[in-house]
Amino acid sequence: MERVGVVGLGTMGGAMAVNIARAGFPLVVWNRSPGRTGEFEALGIPVAGTPGVLAAAVDVVLVSVSDTPDVETVLFGPEGVATGAAPGTLVIDCSTIDPAAARGFAARLGEQGVEFVDAPVTGGSEGAKNATLAILVGGDPANVERAGPIFAAIGRTVTRFGPVGAGQAAKAVNQVVVAATYMGVAEGIVLAIKAGLNAEQVVEALSGGAAQSWVLTNRSHRMLANEYPPGFQVALHLKDLAIALALARASGAVLPVAALVSQLEAGLVALGHGSDDLSALARSIRALSGLDA
Amino acid sequence: MERVGVVGLGTMGGAMAVNIARAGFPLVVWNRSPGRTGEFEALGIPVAGTPGVLAAAVDVVLVSVSDTPDVETVLFGPEGVATGAAPGTLVIDCSTIDPAAARGFAARLGEQGVEFVDAPVTGGSEGAKNATLAILVGGDPANVERAGPIFAAIGRTVTRFGPVGAGQAAKAVNQVVVAATYMGVAEGIVLAIKAGLNAEQVVEALSGGAAQSWVLTNRSHRMLANEYPPGFQVALHLKDLAIALALARASGAVLPVAALVSQLEAGLVALGHGSDDLSALARSIRALSGLDA
């Protein structure tokens, strides 16, 4: 079994690391803030001092951090993965970042013989915990095959969409579809409330037809209760929509609803709701409609 | 069993009439254009000369026509239901119309002792044919109970949302949710195409996660093929969104995505695509993005 290093022990990366250890891979971890490493030390899993030290000790480095600049720092910073990785090391980036940046990172790592696949995921914190993530992959087929046993430890489905960057592009599509779906449910819930209907009854009745969606089933109740416990953060979806809209600009796609949703999300972040679950898009529609005033 | 008259033998009303006859109700039908009545004459089902004549011959009148003015004409026109209906007759309106208009019609019929429930449906032409419609009902509980055996003949689920008009309000909510869901899938499909991905593979991979919806599963392939065989017509959804936006205005709900979608649908109708299936919203996004140019 290849030795694996996990860089980034947040909600997603931490759960992936646990599942990789459970699957029996020799594991080393690193996290920017040391607070998250105690759990791993308690399990006897070594904690590296820097990403570079981690990379020198393993065959495969899995990265799970927040945004493009974070990936750049852990890969190419003064103590980054690139300072320690031997030729032949494989970097699997599970962060959601710009597809063009992923291609740039792959090229830079390639100069020193280090391989790269982009492998953003969907399925949220539950998916990470239960190893049921959908993994959206871009990269050389040989590298994707090599990553297979690790993907099997952290997720349920693996789809290779093409060369490096293609996984990120597919993730961008996911976030665009999700944006409008949440908004439709938010608008529907608010209309139901304002029109004096029993909104729970409406959700129930509509769930069997063309309005059916994962969001309607799983997130409409949060919108109704106007409570958005941490889940998939608004601020992270806004970051992902920025990536999708940049990809749209670069490829010539026009996405009016995704652009509108990103504006509302920027407003939510500015009002201090950035760490709410994405269902907090209903906050915007509720506020525009004078609910909770 | 009560004697039933069906007014309006289009895709929806015609299928409902067939299912009502199959369930054993004594049936009379009427249609504005005589072309649709031949099938019923062949089955030995009497065709009335006017809605008023039909109403005089039955206990319950089920109306299934396109829009508010059509309902007004068949109910209150010179040869309308109101000219023939005896006190105690029940009118079930399965058309999708303005909730306030439904309340007005109920009040006018009430002056002559005729009862009214609004009962718009979801589930499309397949649902009408297979008697699997979801029926969204507003009206007095006693009238809704009386309509029960007829609802059982045409649909699978029946939900009473409140007094007259509440069924129409729930239908408006459905159309608002549907609008954004179609747009999200349309934007996602176009981004996938423009970004060079295999869009079918993307649909498959996203279907297990938060982007999942009936639309993604059942309509994304039409958007990909850029072919929109008749299904739920753009022009009818535009009419329904106009109802929803009027209800929103009246009740103080703000629906930015529904409003945006209604603009794009008006454009499609103006360009001659009004009888396309609603998945033709992808035409707008494809055109804005320079596909099919």
Side-chain angles (χ1 to χ4, degrees):
Chain A
M1 272 182 152
E2 299 207 271
R3 295 165 298 168
V4 180
V6 172
V7 170
L9 301 172
T11 308
M12 301 301 289
M16 291 176 190
V18 167
N19 286 324
I20 288 168
R22 275 196 193 133
F25 291 94
L27 181 66
V28 185
V29 298
W30 177 87
N31 197 57
R32 185 172 51 187
S33 61
R36 308 296 289 259
T37 53
E39 175 193 348
F40 292 89
E41 281 170 335
L43 293 167
I45 293 168
V47 178
T50 71
V53 168
L54 174 144
V58 300
D59 307 298
V60 178
V61 177
L62 185 149
V63 176
S64 177
V65 296
S66 287
D67 200 355
T68 308
D70 306 309
V71 175
E72 180 155 30
T73 300
V74 299
L75 291 183
F76 303 108
E79 301 181 320
V81 166
T83 65
T89 302
L90 172 63
V91 172
I92 302 172
D93 182 20
C94 292
S95 321
T96 295
I97 67 169
D98 188 277
R103 286 191 291 273
F105 296 158
R108 287 165 73 181
L109 290 170
E111 288 167 15
Q112 62 184 85
V114 172
E115 306 292 333
F116 181 94
V117 299
D118 53 309
V121 299
T122 71
S125 52
E126 301 102 310
K129 199 166 287 178
N130 303 327
T132 56
L133 295 168
I135 309 173
L136 313 175
V137 187
D140 289 344
N143 289 334
V144 175
E145 194 184 341
R146 180 177 168 194
I150 296 165
F151 289 153
I154 63 172
R156 187 156 52 189
T157 66
V158 180
T159 311
R160 179 185 174 272
F161 291 95
V164 168
Q168 296 295 353
K171 177 70 184 277
V173 171
N174 185 73
Q175 302 303 59
V176 163
V177 175
V178 160
T181 311
Y182 272 85
M183 275 295 284
V185 176
E187 292 190 356
I189 290 285
V190 170
L191 180 60
I193 294 170
K194 296 289 288 191
L197 298 172
N198 177 328
E200 287 192 44
Q201 204 184 22
V202 175
V203 168
E204 174 77 19
L206 303 195
S207 294
Q212 182 278 330
S213 66
W214 182 93
V215 178
L216 185 68
T217 303
N218 294 286
R219 292 294 180 264
S220 54
H221 298 94
R222 295 185 181 183
M223 299 180 185
L224 251 171
N226 201 27
E227 285 173 4
Y228 313 98
F232 181 49
Q233 291 186 16
V234 169
L236 287 178
H237 190 258
L238 173 60
K239 181 266 292 179
D240 292 359
L241 276 187
I243 291 167
L245 291 167
L247 175 63
R249 219 157 30 239
S251 64
V254 175
L255 310 178
V257 172
L260 169 60
V261 173
S262 78
Q263 288 291 300
L264 295 177
E265 290 179 356
L268 287 169
V269 170
L271 290 168
H273 300 305
S275 57
D276 279 5
D277 179 68
L278 184 52
S279 45
L281 277 169
R283 279 192 196 278
S284 307
I285 303 302
R286 293 178 70 110
L288 288 166
S289 304
L291 290 171
D292 326 309
Chain B
M1 272 183 151
E2 299 208 87
R3 295 166 298 168
V4 179
V6 172
V7 170
L9 301 172
T11 309
M12 301 300 291
M16 290 178 191
V18 168
N19 286 324
I20 288 168
R22 276 198 193 130
F25 291 93
L27 181 65
V28 186
V29 298
W30 177 86
N31 197 55
R32 185 171 50 187
S33 60
R36 308 296 288 262
T37 54
E39 175 193 348
F40 292 89
E41 281 169 337
L43 292 168
I45 293 168
V47 177
T50 70
V53 169
L54 175 143
V58 300
D59 307 300
V60 178
V61 178
L62 185 149
V63 177
S64 177
V65 295
S66 287
D67 201 354
T68 308
D70 305 308
V71 175
E72 181 155 30
T73 300
V74 300
L75 291 183
F76 303 108
E79 300 181 321
V81 167
T83 65
T89 302
L90 172 64
V91 173
I92 301 172
D93 182 19
C94 293
S95 321
T96 295
I97 67 168
D98 188 278
R103 286 190 292 272
F105 296 159
R108 285 165 73 182
L109 291 171
E111 287 167 15
Q112 63 183 85
V114 172
E115 306 292 332
F116 180 94
V117 299
D118 53 310
V121 299
T122 71
S125 51
E126 302 101 312
K129 198 166 289 179
N130 304 326
T132 56
L133 295 168
I135 310 173
L136 313 176
V137 187
D140 289 344
N143 290 333
V144 176
E145 194 182 342
R146 180 178 168 193
I150 296 165
F151 290 152
I154 63 172
R156 188 156 53 189
T157 66
V158 180
T159 310
R160 179 184 174 272
F161 290 96
V164 168
Q168 296 295 352
K171 178 70 185 279
V173 171
N174 186 73
Q175 302 304 57
V176 164
V177 175
V178 160
T181 311
Y182 272 84
M183 275 295 283
V185 175
E187 292 191 357
I189 291 286
V190 170
L191 180 60
I193 294 170
K194 296 290 289 190
L197 298 172
N198 176 330
E200 288 192 43
Q201 202 184 23
V202 175
V203 168
E204 173 77 20
L206 303 194
S207 294
Q212 182 279 330
S213 66
W214 183 93
V215 178
L216 185 69
T217 304
N218 294 286
R219 292 294 179 263
S220 54
H221 299 93
R222 295 186 181 184
M223 299 181 185
L224 251 170
N226 201 26
E227 285 173 5
Y228 312 98
F232 182 50
Q233 291 185 18
V234 169
L236 286 178
H237 190 258
L238 175 60
K239 181 265 292 180
D240 292 359
L241 276 187
I243 291 167
L245 291 167
L247 175 62
R249 223 161 22 245
S251 64
V254 176
L255 310 178
V257 173
L260 170 60
V261 173
S262 79
Q263 288 290 301
L264 296 177
E265 290 179 356
L268 287 169
V269 170
L271 291 169
H273 300 305
S275 57
D276 279 5
D277 179 68
L278 185 52
S279 45
L281 278 170
R283 280 194 196 277
S284 307
I285 303 301
R286 293 178 70 109
L288 288 167
S289 305
L291 290 171
D292 325 310

